[in-house]
Amino acid sequence: TAPPTKLRDGFHLIPTTPIHYDIDLTSKCNFQDITYQTSTSDRCARLAFNRPDVLHAFRPNTINELRRALEMASDDVRVSVILLSSELNEARTPAFC
């Protein structure tokens, strides 16, 4: 196999600037266990688990909200990438991301 190079695997295509999320759909969709934000300039959606006090443990509501958000993001023509992450609480150790 060829040794890794700087231009291999497309890493040179990844922007080094932070993603600016300009649309927050969390409250519009009445999400409680996740947050849903979109960046129209970077064409991505960020779905983040938002239960830091229980280390982002899933419950049926979390799964239902995540399923709904994934469907919405996949149907949105402005979204090319979906990122899964978590909201952090400085007082607790992050359990996801």
Side-chain angles (χ1 to χ4, degrees):
T1 60
T5 66
K6 190 173 186 175
L7 300 179
R8 188 172 179 190
D9 297 328
F11 286 110
H12 64 287
L13 300 173
I14 299 172
T16 57
T17 56
I19 298 172
H20 171 70
Y21 296 98
D22 51 337
I23 301 173
D24 190 342
L25 298 170
T26 305
S27 58
K28 180 182 177 187
C29 298
N30 296 320
F31 291 144
Q32 298 171 1
D33 293 0
I34 66 168
T35 59
Y36 180 0
Q37 300 170 319
T38 346
S39 170
T40 52
S41 61
D42 289 309
R43 301 182 54 86
C44 70
R46 179 180 183 263
L47 308 179
F49 300 108
N50 193 24
R51 300 187 70 217
D53 295 336
V54 292
L55 300 177
H56 305 296
F58 284 24
R59 61 182 178 170
N61 187 58
T62 312
I63 296 168
N64 290 333
E65 288 182 4
L66 187 59
R67 180 183 304 124
R68 204 166 98 217
L70 284 168
E71 288 175 3
M72 290 171 56
S74 62
D75 290 342
D76 192 341
V77 296
R78 300 171 296 186
V79 173
S80 299
V81 175
I82 300 171
L83 304 172
L84 288 180
S85 185
S86 66
E87 301 296 338
L88 295 178
N89 179 341
E90 298 301 322
R92 309 230 9 138
T93 303
F96 181 83
C97 296

